[in-house]
Amino acid sequence: MTFTLAVCAEMVFTQLPLLERIERIHAAGFAAEIWGWTDKDSAALAATGATFTSMTGYVSGDLITPDGADDLLRTAEQSIPFAQAIRCSTLNLHGTGLGEGGLPVRPVEVVTGDMWLAAERTLSRVAELGERHGVTFVLENLNTEVDHPGTPFGRAADALALVGAVDSPHLKMNLDLYHAQIGEGNLVELIRRSAPHLGEVQVADVPGRCEPGTGEVSWPFVARALADAGYDGVVAMEAYASGDSDLALERFREAFTL
């Protein structure tokens, strides 16, 4: 069993312009991922020849409030033509819009039952949008301890519960194991429970959010757990290079080559 290995272009080769980063990633044999699209040129990205496996699939909005949900659906639909232009079929969502420094635009201290129901309704609408346009949205878990305090539905268990409740092939889970290690741990059991709903897996080591092999996680063991759970999709390194970016990519490849 093999994975499709991808690298987030926003976090490596940072001394280069984005298009050159993507070209370097592509030349090294990896797919590429990006975050927001509004400041990017889809034709220039497509011209790199790279395969794109994920991009942010909305501009603003949230899962909870009526206006926020409408805004999320509106900007998610606006994101689809860009995704199609770069042949990217997976669009990433979060529990709420993120602002500068990754902080939630509307932080939430306590998630209520009504909020859960509202989020499920919003994500059902997102899944219907994905079905109409032939794309898949993925809901990413985020840690609230270090990087994204105040983000609702941040835990992997939360994302899994919402995706499972919607139960659509056009809404999957983006299991970010960096965030999960900080917020929950017990990664292998989390992988086993999440496997039927996975649309993507993202990785970075802890602490530091650098490439696999620089922190506390045994990534070859995690890779085997993913394979044993039947997962053969995208594994993306959403991590900073601890030093040389080419070396970081090779460490990532080694950790996830079975």
Side-chain angles (χ1 to χ4, degrees), residues 81-98:
F82 190 99
Q84 292 171 332
I86 64 171
R87 297 183 178 87
C88 179
S89 61
T90 300
L91 292 88
N92 197 49
L93 304 173
H94 308 105
T96 189
L98 300 178

Side-chain angles (χ1 to χ4, degrees), residues 192-217:
R192 290 170 180 161
R193 288 191 285 113
S194 304
H197 300 283
L198 291 180
E200 177 169 2
V201 172
Q202 292 183 333
V203 301
D205 223 328
V206 179
R209 203 174 187 179
C210 292
E211 74 271 13
T214 57
E216 66 192 20
V217 179

Side-chain angles (χ1 to χ4, degrees), residues 2-256:
T2 58
F3 309 114
T4 297
L5 299 183
V7 175
C8 178
E10 312 278 358
M11 302 177 75
V12 296
F13 302 114
T14 54
Q15 76 279 10
L16 299 175
L18 183 71
L19 288 177
E20 292 183 37
R21 301 181 203 178
I22 291 169
E23 289 168 350
R24 293 281 291 271
I25 290 167
H26 177 55
F30 297 92
E33 299 198 343
I34 59 173
W35 290 339
W37 57 270
T38 57
D39 60 344
K40 297 177 175 67
D41 182 331
S42 60
L45 291 176
T48 65
T51 298
F52 292 92
T53 49
S54 179
M55 55 172 268
T56 301
Y58 70 111
V59 179
S60 57
D62 62 62
L63 301 179
I64 297 171
T65 64
D67 289 345
D70 288 343
D71 195 28
L72 188 145
L73 265 292
R74 179 181 59 81
T75 61
E77 188 161 18
Q78 290 174 348
S79 303
I80 291 173
F82 190 99
Q84 292 171 332
I86 64 171
R87 297 183 178 87
C88 179
S89 61
T90 300
L91 292 88
N92 197 49
L93 304 173
H94 308 105
T96 189
L98 300 178
E100 189 170 348
L103 297 178
V105 175
R106 291 185 178 180
V108 176
E109 293 298 324
V110 178
V111 178
T112 66
D114 286 343
M115 290 177 180
W116 276 96
L117 294 173
E120 182 182 343
R121 289 193 298 270
T122 303
L123 289 168
S124 294
R125 294 170 63 193
V126 168
E128 292 167 0
L129 177 66
E131 183 175 10
R132 289 198 303 272
H133 292 277
V135 299
T136 300
F137 288 90
V138 291
L139 180 63
E140 180 185 4
N141 60 293
L142 301 171
N143 81 77
T144 57
E145 289 82 358
V146 176
D147 297 288
H148 307 284
T151 300
F153 317 108
R155 299 172 69 250
D158 299 339
L160 178 58
L162 286 168
V163 168
V166 173
D167 192 24
S168 165
H170 293 279
L171 180 72
K172 296 287 188 178
M173 180 180 181
N174 178 2
L175 175 57
D176 190 310
L177 292 172
Y178 162 77
H179 292 302
Q181 174 67 1
I182 292 173
E184 295 155 84
N186 200 16
L187 297 185
V188 171
E189 178 57 28
L190 181 58
I191 286 167
R192 290 170 180 161
R193 288 191 285 113
S194 304
H197 300 283
L198 291 180
E200 177 169 2
V201 172
Q202 292 183 333
V203 301
D205 223 328
V206 179
R209 203 174 187 179
C210 292
E211 74 271 13
T214 57
E216 66 192 20
V217 179
S218 174
W219 293 106
F221 192 83
V222 167
R224 174 51 57 189
L226 283 165
D228 289 346
Y231 182 72
D232 61 355
V234 174
V235 177
M237 187 180 85
E238 192 183 41
Y240 297 103
S242 62
D244 179 77
S245 289
D246 287 305
L247 178 58
L249 267 59
E250 288 310 306
R251 286 175 170 167
F252 169 51
R253 192 198 313 272
E254 181 179 358
F256 285 90

